[in-house]
Amino acid sequence: MAEIVIRNLRKEFGAFTAVQGSTFTIRDGEFFMLLGPSGCGKTTTLRMIAGLELPTSGQILIDGEDVSQKPASQRDIAMVFQMFALYPHMNVRKNIAYPLVSQGVPRAEVQRKVAEVARILRIDHLLDKGVGGLSGGDRQRVALGRAIVRNPKAFMMDEPLGALDAEFREIMAEELRALHDRMHATTVYVTHDQLEAMQMGDKIVVMNHGVVEQFGTPQDIYDHPATLFVADFIGSPAMNFLRFEGSAPAGAATVTLGDTPIALPELREAASGSLVLGVRPEHVALSDSAPLRARIEAVEYLGTTQIVTLSTPQGTIKARTPSTLPARPGDLTGLVLNASRLSLFDATTGRAFRTAANAGVNHG
Amino acid sequence: MSAYSVTEPSKASKWAAGLLVALYTIITLLPLVWIISTSFKTGPDSISYPPKVVFEPSLEGYVNLFTTRTRIAAEDFAALPPPETWYDRIVRDQGMVIAGQSRFGERFMNSVIIGFGSTFLSIFLGTLAAYAFSRFRVPLKDDLLFFILSTRMMPPIAVAIPIYLMYRELGLSDTHLGMILLYTAVNISLAVWLLKGFIDEIPREYEEAALIDGYTRFQAFRKVVLPQAATGIASTAIFCLIFAWNEYAFAVLLTSGNAQTAPPFIPTIIGVGGQDWPAVAAGATLFLLPVMIFTILLRKHLLRGITFGAVRK
Ligand SMILES: Nc1ncnc2c1ncn2[C@@H]1O[C@H](COP(=O)(O)OP(=O)(O)OP(=O)(O)O)[C@@H](O)[C@H]1O
Ligand SMILES: [Mg+2]
C-alpha cells in the first residue's frame, strides 16, 4: 500500500484545460474522495493517477517515486470502472484471474487467490458463469474482485456505484467501506454525490472547473468551507448565504448586517466590500425576541426536524429546527445565528476569510 | 384489446410470407442445382432434350476437368490393356485415353493462394490501421480516412492500363505477389472502414482495464480487442474473400500462365475437345465451394456481425 502525492498536476486537451494545477496528498490506507460536479475533471485526475492519461505538467508520486510519465501497466494500481468493464469474452473466474496471469503467477496460486477473493466478495457460486448475465451488484463485485486479487499499491474507483439503482447503492457503499476497513488499501474514489463522499471518505478533495477548491476531512469541509462553491455544493439543504456590504478589521468578532450586529469567530484578516455571511440551516434558531427579523414562508416536515423557509432583507434563509417547535407560515419571528459556526466570504473572489475557527483548515 | 397483435402475425400472413420465401429460395437455388447436377451428368445426358432431371450420376465431368484426353486409332484403342483405375475407365468409355493432367488444379490453387493471401493481408493491415484510427489521435485523421475511402471511389478497372504497364515494369505481372497486392489494395479501404466501425463499438474501458491489469498496449489489443472484434473481422474477411475470389477483369489482364486464377480459366475449359458441359459445370461447382465453406465456417460470427455491432454492450 502506498502514499500518493499530487503536485501541480495539470492536464490540457488541446486548448481546453481539464485540470489546472491540483495539489493534494493521499495518505497510506486512506479512503480518499474526489468530489465535484460533472465535468470538473475528477475522472481526468483519476486517469492520470492510474496512468491512462499523461499529465501536461506536474508530478504524481507513488511512495515517493515519480510515476507521472510511466505507463499504466508499470504503476501497480487497480481500477474499478464506472461501467465495470468486465471482459465480456471471459467468465467470472477468468476475469478475476486476468491481472494475475499478466504477472506470471503460477496456476495453482491463481486458483487459490481467485477462490479466496470470491469468498470474500461472496461470489463463489458465480465463478463459472459468463459476465453477461450478471446483475449490477454482482458485476460490481466481480470488478472489485479483479481489483483486489493482486494486492496493488492503490485502488482507483470511478463512480463505482453510479450504475446501480438507489437501494443497491446503499448496500454496496457499506460493503465497499467494510472491505476498505478490512484491507486498509489506499483508495481514490470519484463521485459527484456529496452525501456519498461525506459518508464514505476519510478525506475529500472538492473540485470545480478543474480547480481544487478544498481538501480536507469531511467534517472540516462541512464546517469550514474554504470557498462559496464548496459551501454551496456540500450539505443539503445548502448553506445559507446572507449578502451585504460592509467592512471589519482583523481581530473583529462582529459584522453589521443591515443595522444588526452579528457575532462570528474572530477575523484573522481584514474584510471589506461585498461580503457573504454563510450559515448552515442547523445553526439558525428561531427566537421571537431576536433582533434579526424574518418572516416564515414555508415549513417542510422531516420527522424529527423540519426545514423552515424564511424571508429576510438579505434574502431567503432555511433553518433546520426540531419539529416540536411551533412554526406557522406567515408568522414574524427573529433569527439567532450560532456565532461559532459562521463563515464569512468575499463575494467577488468566493474565498472564505480566515477566522479563529477555520485557521487550521487546509485551503485548496 | 384489438384482434391484431403486434408481436404475433396472423396465420394467413405467415403462410404468405413462407410461400414467398420458398419461391424466392427456389428461384435463387435453381441455377445452382442445375450447375451441380450437370457436373454429375455424362456428356450426352447434359445436352439431351428434353433435359433429364433424373439421370445416372457420373464423375465424367470431374475426371475431364482434371485431365487432358486424346483419341487414338481404333486398332490401337482395341489393343489397349483393360483400364487400371476408375478414372481410366471413365475416359475409355468416352472412346479416349488420358494424355495428362489439366491445369485446373494449378489454377484453383492459384485462386486459393491469391484469394486467401489477399484476404489475410487486407484483414491484417486493416485491423491495425482501424485500431489506430479508432483509438489514437492521428494527425489529419479525417483527411486520411477520406483518402483511404477515396481509393475506392474510382472503379478499379478504370486504372487497369496504368496498372498493367506498371506491373510489367515492376515484374509483378503474372505473379502471385502482384495479384495479392492488387486485391489487397482494392480491399483495404473497405476493410479499414468496416473494421473501424466495429472497433469504435468496443468500449475503451476493456483495454484500459487490461492496461491497468499490467498488460502492454499490444497485449491488450491481442487479448481483449481482437476477441471482441471477431465478428467484425469475420464479416470483413468474407467481403474481402468474395471480391478477390470472384475478380475476373484484372485476372484476365494481368495473368496468363504462372498466376492465372480460376475465373479466367474456367471459360477456357469449354474449348477443350468440343463443348464439354459436365466439365465446365464441375469446374464451376468446385469454384463455388471454398467461399461457401469459408462463409459457413464463419457463419456463427457473421450472423452477429451483420448487424454491425449494433446489439452489443
Ligand atoms: N480525451 C478528452 N479530450 C477532450 N476533452 C476531454 C477529454 N476527456 C475529458 N475531457 C473534458 O475534460 C473535462 C473534465 O472531464 P472529466 O471526465 O474529468 O470530468 P468528470 O469530473 O469526471 O465529470 P463526470 O462527473 O461527468 O464524469 C470535461 O469537460 C471533458 O469534456
Ligand atoms: Mg467522470
Side-chain angles (χ1 to χ4, degrees), chain A residues 96-121:
Chain A
I96 298 179
Y98 207 56
L100 295 176
V101 175
S102 81
Q103 300 180 324
V105 175
R107 279 180 80 116
E109 177 77 0
V110 170
Q111 290 306 326
R112 197 185 59 71
K113 283 207 157 158
V114 170
E116 181 189 324
V117 164
R119 204 177 51 249
I120 294 174
L121 296 167

PDB file of all heavy atoms in Angstrom, chain A residues 96-121:
ATOM      1  N   ILE A  96     -11.446 -12.409 -12.971  1.00  0.00           N
ATOM      2  CA  ILE A  96     -10.742 -12.115 -11.722  1.00  0.00           C
ATOM      3  C   ILE A  96      -9.281 -12.530 -11.818  1.00  0.00           C
ATOM      4  O   ILE A  96      -8.391 -11.872 -11.287  1.00  0.00           O
ATOM      5  CB  ILE A  96     -11.452 -12.810 -10.537  1.00  0.00           C
ATOM      6  CG1 ILE A  96     -12.871 -12.259 -10.401  1.00  0.00           C
ATOM      7  CG2 ILE A  96     -10.673 -12.598  -9.248  1.00  0.00           C
ATOM      8  CD1 ILE A  96     -13.662 -12.877  -9.284  1.00  0.00           C
ATOM      9  N   ALA A  97      -9.025 -13.636 -12.547  1.00  0.00           N
ATOM     10  CA  ALA A  97      -7.658 -14.158 -12.614  1.00  0.00           C
ATOM     11  C   ALA A  97      -6.772 -13.333 -13.541  1.00  0.00           C
ATOM     12  O   ALA A  97      -5.550 -13.369 -13.423  1.00  0.00           O
ATOM     13  CB  ALA A  97      -7.688 -15.611 -13.100  1.00  0.00           C
ATOM     14  N   TYR A  98      -7.404 -12.571 -14.437  1.00  0.00           N
ATOM     15  CA  TYR A  98      -6.645 -11.948 -15.516  1.00  0.00           C
ATOM     16  C   TYR A  98      -5.452 -11.081 -15.065  1.00  0.00           C
ATOM     17  O   TYR A  98      -4.368 -11.188 -15.636  1.00  0.00           O
ATOM     18  CB  TYR A  98      -7.598 -11.152 -16.412  1.00  0.00           C
ATOM     19  CG  TYR A  98      -7.098 -11.034 -17.824  1.00  0.00           C
ATOM     20  CD1 TYR A  98      -6.790 -12.166 -18.565  1.00  0.00           C
ATOM     21  CD2 TYR A  98      -6.913  -9.791 -18.413  1.00  0.00           C
ATOM     22  CE1 TYR A  98      -6.327 -12.059 -19.852  1.00  0.00           C
ATOM     23  CE2 TYR A  98      -6.451  -9.678 -19.715  1.00  0.00           C
ATOM     24  CZ  TYR A  98      -6.157 -10.820 -20.425  1.00  0.00           C
ATOM     25  OH  TYR A  98      -5.685 -10.707 -21.698  1.00  0.00           O
ATOM     26  N   PRO A  99      -5.605 -10.250 -14.027  1.00  0.00           N
ATOM     27  CA  PRO A  99      -4.457  -9.450 -13.591  1.00  0.00           C
ATOM     28  C   PRO A  99      -3.296 -10.316 -13.087  1.00  0.00           C
ATOM     29  O   PRO A  99      -2.139  -9.935 -13.218  1.00  0.00           O
ATOM     30  CB  PRO A  99      -5.018  -8.601 -12.450  1.00  0.00           C
ATOM     31  CG  PRO A  99      -6.475  -8.625 -12.622  1.00  0.00           C
ATOM     32  CD  PRO A  99      -6.818  -9.923 -13.276  1.00  0.00           C
ATOM     33  N   LEU A 100      -3.625 -11.487 -12.533  1.00  0.00           N
ATOM     34  CA  LEU A 100      -2.557 -12.359 -12.021  1.00  0.00           C
ATOM     35  C   LEU A 100      -1.810 -13.010 -13.179  1.00  0.00           C
ATOM     36  O   LEU A 100      -0.596 -13.190 -13.123  1.00  0.00           O
ATOM     37  CB  LEU A 100      -3.143 -13.438 -11.114  1.00  0.00           C
ATOM     38  CG  LEU A 100      -3.781 -12.930  -9.832  1.00  0.00           C
ATOM     39  CD1 LEU A 100      -4.403 -14.087  -9.065  1.00  0.00           C
ATOM     40  CD2 LEU A 100      -2.760 -12.206  -8.976  1.00  0.00           C
ATOM     41  N   VAL A 101      -2.560 -13.350 -14.230  1.00  0.00           N
ATOM     42  CA  VAL A 101      -1.941 -14.007 -15.376  1.00  0.00           C
ATOM     43  C   VAL A 101      -0.858 -13.107 -15.970  1.00  0.00           C
ATOM     44  O   VAL A 101       0.205 -13.569 -16.366  1.00  0.00           O
ATOM     45  CB  VAL A 101      -3.020 -14.350 -16.427  1.00  0.00           C
ATOM     46  CG1 VAL A 101      -2.386 -14.913 -17.683  1.00  0.00           C
ATOM     47  CG2 VAL A 101      -4.021 -15.338 -15.848  1.00  0.00           C
ATOM     48  N   SER A 102      -1.121 -11.793 -15.998  1.00  0.00           N
ATOM     49  CA  SER A 102      -0.133 -10.888 -16.587  1.00  0.00           C
ATOM     50  C   SER A 102       1.148 -10.868 -15.779  1.00  0.00           C
ATOM     51  O   SER A 102       2.209 -10.539 -16.280  1.00  0.00           O
ATOM     52  CB  SER A 102      -0.701  -9.469 -16.683  1.00  0.00           C
ATOM     53  OG  SER A 102      -0.604  -8.814 -15.436  1.00  0.00           O
ATOM     54  N   GLN A 103       1.055 -11.218 -14.497  1.00  0.00           N
ATOM     55  CA  GLN A 103       2.251 -11.201 -13.660  1.00  0.00           C
ATOM     56  C   GLN A 103       2.945 -12.552 -13.647  1.00  0.00           C
ATOM     57  O   GLN A 103       3.925 -12.737 -12.925  1.00  0.00           O
ATOM     58  CB  GLN A 103       1.875 -10.832 -12.216  1.00  0.00           C
ATOM     59  CG  GLN A 103       1.238  -9.479 -12.103  1.00  0.00           C
ATOM     60  CD  GLN A 103       0.878  -9.153 -10.671  1.00  0.00           C
ATOM     61  OE1 GLN A 103       0.474 -10.007  -9.897  1.00  0.00           O
ATOM     62  NE2 GLN A 103       1.042  -7.891 -10.303  1.00  0.00           N
ATOM     63  N   GLY A 104       2.409 -13.500 -14.391  1.00  0.00           N
ATOM     64  CA  GLY A 104       3.023 -14.814 -14.445  1.00  0.00           C
ATOM     65  C   GLY A 104       2.924 -15.593 -13.141  1.00  0.00           C
ATOM     66  O   GLY A 104       3.793 -16.401 -12.826  1.00  0.00           O
ATOM     67  N   VAL A 105       1.875 -15.368 -12.387  1.00  0.00           N
ATOM     68  CA  VAL A 105       1.668 -16.125 -11.147  1.00  0.00           C
ATOM     69  C   VAL A 105       1.346 -17.583 -11.522  1.00  0.00           C
ATOM     70  O   VAL A 105       0.588 -17.824 -12.449  1.00  0.00           O
ATOM     71  CB  VAL A 105       0.495 -15.512 -10.349  1.00  0.00           C
ATOM     72  CG1 VAL A 105       0.178 -16.337  -9.119  1.00  0.00           C
ATOM     73  CG2 VAL A 105       0.804 -14.069  -9.986  1.00  0.00           C
ATOM     74  N   PRO A 106       1.928 -18.570 -10.811  1.00  0.00           N
ATOM     75  CA  PRO A 106       1.658 -19.971 -11.132  1.00  0.00           C
ATOM     76  C   PRO A 106       0.166 -20.309 -11.010  1.00  0.00           C
ATOM     77  O   PRO A 106      -0.544 -19.725 -10.198  1.00  0.00           O
ATOM     78  CB  PRO A 106       2.449 -20.760 -10.094  1.00  0.00           C
ATOM     79  CG  PRO A 106       3.317 -19.795  -9.400  1.00  0.00           C
ATOM     80  CD  PRO A 106       2.910 -18.407  -9.742  1.00  0.00           C
ATOM     81  N   ARG A 107      -0.257 -21.293 -11.807  1.00  0.00           N
ATOM     82  CA  ARG A 107      -1.679 -21.613 -11.902  1.00  0.00           C
ATOM     83  C   ARG A 107      -2.345 -21.918 -10.566  1.00  0.00           C
ATOM     84  O   ARG A 107      -3.420 -21.418 -10.267  1.00  0.00           O
ATOM     85  CB  ARG A 107      -1.864 -22.836 -12.807  1.00  0.00           C
ATOM     86  CG  ARG A 107      -1.834 -22.527 -14.264  1.00  0.00           C
ATOM     87  CD  ARG A 107      -2.023 -23.816 -15.019  1.00  0.00           C
ATOM     88  NE  ARG A 107      -3.426 -24.183 -15.051  1.00  0.00           N
ATOM     89  CZ  ARG A 107      -4.123 -24.242 -16.170  1.00  0.00           C
ATOM     90  NH1 ARG A 107      -3.551 -23.964 -17.304  1.00  0.00           N
ATOM     91  NH2 ARG A 107      -5.400 -24.585 -16.149  1.00  0.00           N
ATOM     92  N   ALA A 108      -1.680 -22.756  -9.787  1.00  0.00           N
ATOM     93  CA  ALA A 108      -2.283 -23.177  -8.521  1.00  0.00           C
ATOM     94  C   ALA A 108      -2.522 -21.959  -7.631  1.00  0.00           C
ATOM     95  O   ALA A 108      -3.568 -21.830  -6.987  1.00  0.00           O
ATOM     96  CB  ALA A 108      -1.372 -24.177  -7.821  1.00  0.00           C
ATOM     97  N   GLU A 109      -1.535 -21.078  -7.623  1.00  0.00           N
ATOM     98  CA  GLU A 109      -1.625 -19.860  -6.825  1.00  0.00           C
ATOM     99  C   GLU A 109      -2.776 -18.974  -7.316  1.00  0.00           C
ATOM    100  O   GLU A 109      -3.534 -18.411  -6.528  1.00  0.00           O
ATOM    101  CB  GLU A 109      -0.278 -19.116  -6.945  1.00  0.00           C
ATOM    102  CG  GLU A 109      -0.211 -17.791  -6.253  1.00  0.00           C
ATOM    103  CD  GLU A 109      -0.040 -17.919  -4.753  1.00  0.00           C
ATOM    104  OE1 GLU A 109       0.029 -19.068  -4.267  1.00  0.00           O
ATOM    105  OE2 GLU A 109       0.015 -16.883  -4.078  1.00  0.00           O
ATOM    106  N   VAL A 110      -2.919 -18.883  -8.642  1.00  0.00           N
ATOM    107  CA  VAL A 110      -4.008 -18.103  -9.226  1.00  0.00           C
ATOM    108  C   VAL A 110      -5.344 -18.659  -8.742  1.00  0.00           C
ATOM    109  O   VAL A 110      -6.200 -17.917  -8.254  1.00  0.00           O
ATOM    110  CB  VAL A 110      -3.949 -18.138 -10.771  1.00  0.00           C
ATOM    111  CG1 VAL A 110      -5.225 -17.537 -11.360  1.00  0.00           C
ATOM    112  CG2 VAL A 110      -2.733 -17.392 -11.285  1.00  0.00           C
ATOM    113  N   GLN A 111      -5.494 -20.001  -8.843  1.00  0.00           N
ATOM    114  CA  GLN A 111      -6.754 -20.618  -8.441  1.00  0.00           C
ATOM    115  C   GLN A 111      -7.055 -20.323  -6.974  1.00  0.00           C
ATOM    116  O   GLN A 111      -8.177 -20.015  -6.597  1.00  0.00           O
ATOM    117  CB  GLN A 111      -6.698 -22.140  -8.664  1.00  0.00           C
ATOM    118  CG  GLN A 111      -6.699 -22.547 -10.127  1.00  0.00           C
ATOM    119  CD  GLN A 111      -7.871 -21.954 -10.899  1.00  0.00           C
ATOM    120  OE1 GLN A 111      -8.959 -21.786 -10.363  1.00  0.00           O
ATOM    121  NE2 GLN A 111      -7.636 -21.617 -12.159  1.00  0.00           N
ATOM    122  N   ARG A 112      -6.007 -20.409  -6.150  1.00  0.00           N
ATOM    123  CA  ARG A 112      -6.195 -20.209  -4.721  1.00  0.00           C
ATOM    124  C   ARG A 112      -6.661 -18.777  -4.441  1.00  0.00           C
ATOM    125  O   ARG A 112      -7.616 -18.542  -3.713  1.00  0.00           O
ATOM    126  CB  ARG A 112      -4.877 -20.497  -3.994  1.00  0.00           C
ATOM    127  CG  ARG A 112      -5.024 -20.716  -2.500  1.00  0.00           C
ATOM    128  CD  ARG A 112      -3.669 -20.876  -1.834  1.00  0.00           C
ATOM    129  NE  ARG A 112      -2.796 -19.732  -2.026  1.00  0.00           N
ATOM    130  CZ  ARG A 112      -2.973 -18.548  -1.440  1.00  0.00           C
ATOM    131  NH1 ARG A 112      -3.974 -18.382  -0.610  1.00  0.00           N
ATOM    132  NH2 ARG A 112      -2.143 -17.557  -1.682  1.00  0.00           N
ATOM    133  N   LYS A 113      -5.976 -17.812  -5.075  1.00  0.00           N
ATOM    134  CA  LYS A 113      -6.310 -16.408  -4.820  1.00  0.00           C
ATOM    135  C   LYS A 113      -7.705 -16.064  -5.325  1.00  0.00           C
ATOM    136  O   LYS A 113      -8.447 -15.326  -4.671  1.00  0.00           O
ATOM    137  CB  LYS A 113      -5.285 -15.504  -5.505  1.00  0.00           C
ATOM    138  CG  LYS A 113      -3.973 -15.430  -4.757  1.00  0.00           C
ATOM    139  CD  LYS A 113      -3.285 -14.129  -5.043  1.00  0.00           C
ATOM    140  CE  LYS A 113      -2.327 -13.776  -3.937  1.00  0.00           C
ATOM    141  NZ  LYS A 113      -1.291 -12.850  -4.357  1.00  0.00           N
ATOM    142  N   VAL A 114      -8.036 -16.576  -6.527  1.00  0.00           N
ATOM    143  CA  VAL A 114      -9.357 -16.289  -7.079  1.00  0.00           C
ATOM    144  C   VAL A 114     -10.430 -16.831  -6.139  1.00  0.00           C
ATOM    145  O   VAL A 114     -11.415 -16.150  -5.832  1.00  0.00           O
ATOM    146  CB  VAL A 114      -9.511 -16.899  -8.491  1.00  0.00           C
ATOM    147  CG1 VAL A 114     -10.957 -16.802  -8.963  1.00  0.00           C
ATOM    148  CG2 VAL A 114      -8.596 -16.187  -9.474  1.00  0.00           C
ATOM    149  N   ALA A 115     -10.211 -18.042  -5.640  1.00  0.00           N
ATOM    150  CA  ALA A 115     -11.191 -18.640  -4.730  1.00  0.00           C
ATOM    151  C   ALA A 115     -11.329 -17.798  -3.465  1.00  0.00           C
ATOM    152  O   ALA A 115     -12.433 -17.558  -2.975  1.00  0.00           O
ATOM    153  CB  ALA A 115     -10.768 -20.066  -4.389  1.00  0.00           C
ATOM    154  N   GLU A 116     -10.193 -17.323  -2.968  1.00  0.00           N
ATOM    155  CA  GLU A 116     -10.217 -16.535  -1.734  1.00  0.00           C
ATOM    156  C   GLU A 116     -10.988 -15.222  -1.934  1.00  0.00           C
ATOM    157  O   GLU A 116     -11.859 -14.861  -1.140  1.00  0.00           O
ATOM    158  CB  GLU A 116      -8.768 -16.253  -1.317  1.00  0.00           C
ATOM    159  CG  GLU A 116      -8.647 -15.473  -0.035  1.00  0.00           C
ATOM    160  CD  GLU A 116      -7.210 -15.037   0.200  1.00  0.00           C
ATOM    161  OE1 GLU A 116      -6.304 -15.822  -0.152  1.00  0.00           O
ATOM    162  OE2 GLU A 116      -7.010 -13.925   0.707  1.00  0.00           O
ATOM    163  N   VAL A 117     -10.665 -14.533  -3.033  1.00  0.00           N
ATOM    164  CA  VAL A 117     -11.338 -13.268  -3.330  1.00  0.00           C
ATOM    165  C   VAL A 117     -12.828 -13.488  -3.524  1.00  0.00           C
ATOM    166  O   VAL A 117     -13.659 -12.730  -3.023  1.00  0.00           O
ATOM    167  CB  VAL A 117     -10.707 -12.626  -4.586  1.00  0.00           C
ATOM    168  CG1 VAL A 117     -11.602 -11.539  -5.136  1.00  0.00           C
ATOM    169  CG2 VAL A 117      -9.342 -12.082  -4.263  1.00  0.00           C
ATOM    170  N   ALA A 118     -13.178 -14.578  -4.238  1.00  0.00           N
ATOM    171  CA  ALA A 118     -14.588 -14.866  -4.488  1.00  0.00           C
ATOM    172  C   ALA A 118     -15.313 -15.107  -3.170  1.00  0.00           C
ATOM    173  O   ALA A 118     -16.470 -14.717  -3.010  1.00  0.00           O
ATOM    174  CB  ALA A 118     -14.731 -16.077  -5.398  1.00  0.00           C
ATOM    175  N   ARG A 119     -14.612 -15.725  -2.214  1.00  0.00           N
ATOM    176  CA  ARG A 119     -15.254 -15.983  -0.932  1.00  0.00           C
ATOM    177  C   ARG A 119     -15.490 -14.673  -0.189  1.00  0.00           C
ATOM    178  O   ARG A 119     -16.564 -14.429   0.343  1.00  0.00           O
ATOM    179  CB  ARG A 119     -14.400 -16.944  -0.105  1.00  0.00           C
ATOM    180  CG  ARG A 119     -15.216 -17.702   0.924  1.00  0.00           C
ATOM    181  CD  ARG A 119     -14.368 -18.696   1.695  1.00  0.00           C
ATOM    182  NE  ARG A 119     -13.167 -18.094   2.243  1.00  0.00           N
ATOM    183  CZ  ARG A 119     -11.933 -18.361   1.823  1.00  0.00           C
ATOM    184  NH1 ARG A 119     -11.729 -19.243   0.882  1.00  0.00           N
ATOM    185  NH2 ARG A 119     -10.898 -17.748   2.357  1.00  0.00           N
ATOM    186  N   ILE A 120     -14.471 -13.804  -0.181  1.00  0.00           N
ATOM    187  CA  ILE A 120     -14.612 -12.513   0.499  1.00  0.00           C
ATOM    188  C   ILE A 120     -15.795 -11.733  -0.065  1.00  0.00           C
ATOM    189  O   ILE A 120     -16.576 -11.137   0.670  1.00  0.00           O
ATOM    190  CB  ILE A 120     -13.324 -11.678   0.342  1.00  0.00           C
ATOM    191  CG1 ILE A 120     -12.164 -12.345   1.077  1.00  0.00           C
ATOM    192  CG2 ILE A 120     -13.541 -10.260   0.859  1.00  0.00           C
ATOM    193  CD1 ILE A 120     -10.838 -11.673   0.854  1.00  0.00           C
ATOM    194  N   LEU A 121     -15.925 -11.763  -1.390  1.00  0.00           N
ATOM    195  CA  LEU A 121     -16.975 -10.964  -2.029  1.00  0.00           C
ATOM    196  C   LEU A 121     -18.282 -11.738  -2.186  1.00  0.00           C
ATOM    197  O   LEU A 121     -19.243 -11.224  -2.745  1.00  0.00           O
ATOM    198  CB  LEU A 121     -16.498 -10.485  -3.399  1.00  0.00           C
ATOM    199  CG  LEU A 121     -15.301  -9.540  -3.358  1.00  0.00           C
ATOM    200  CD1 LEU A 121     -14.706  -9.370  -4.724  1.00  0.00           C
ATOM    201  CD2 LEU A 121     -15.717  -8.187  -2.798  1.00  0.00           C
TER     202      LEU A 121
END
